Amino acid sequence: MTSKRRMLGVDDDSEIRQTLEVVLSALGFEVVGAWDGEHGLALHRQRPVDLLIVDLMMPSMDGFSMLKELDQEGQDEHPPSIVITGQPGEWQEEVASQLGVRHFIRKPF
């Protein structure tokens, strides 16, 4: 028996987290949610995930800070990452891609 792939959705908006859970659970993922980067890092450190979906703008620790922290911990610790944001910009995409982000999804989605 194979285990489900584990996905972590990090967003301060509970509706976004809930939407990610509904959609990705239907696709066979085990979905966990975090309300900011600090909470997301803690969950990932407890049990690494296979996919990270993270908002850029959050209180306490934003998505950029979370991605930088993961990057500093080493490539084997950094899961494939997708950024969701309501305020996209070229500089954001460039910085995020340097931190291992594979795709951007613009809000609302």
Side-chain angles (χ1 to χ4, degrees):
M1 182 174 142
T2 60
S3 62
K4 289 183 175 183
R5 295 190 62 132
R6 185 172 159 89
M7 192 284 301
L8 173 60
V10 185
D11 197 304
D12 56 316
D13 185 329
S14 62
E15 289 182 22
I16 297 289
R17 291 192 314 270
Q18 188 175 35
T19 299
L20 290 172
E21 182 174 354
V22 168
V23 171
L24 294 168
S25 292
L27 295 174
F29 281 90
E30 174 189 351
V31 181
V32 293
W35 53 83
D36 68 13
E38 289 177 351
H39 184 222
L41 282 173
L43 291 173
H44 177 65
R45 287 174 178 147
Q46 286 175 354
R47 186 168 163 223
V49 298
D50 299 301
L51 175 65
L52 171 64
I53 299 179
V54 61
D55 186 16
L56 288 182
M57 307 310 266
M58 296 179 288
S60 186
M61 178 183 272
D62 64 23
F64 281 128
S65 298
M66 180 183 178
L67 291 167
K68 286 176 187 174
E69 186 77 23
L70 284 170
D71 198 49
Q72 291 173 354
E73 291 179 4
Q75 285 291 50
D76 56 336
E77 297 293 321
H78 198 309
S81 303
I82 298 171
V83 162
I84 53 178
T85 184
Q87 300 176 346
E90 285 185 33
W91 71 270
Q92 292 173 319
E93 290 190 29
E94 185 173 330
V95 170
S97 68
Q98 292 170 359
L99 294 169
V101 172
R102 295 187 178 180
H103 299 285
F104 262 76
I105 298 174
R106 285 157 184 39
K107 291 181 184 179
F109 56 88

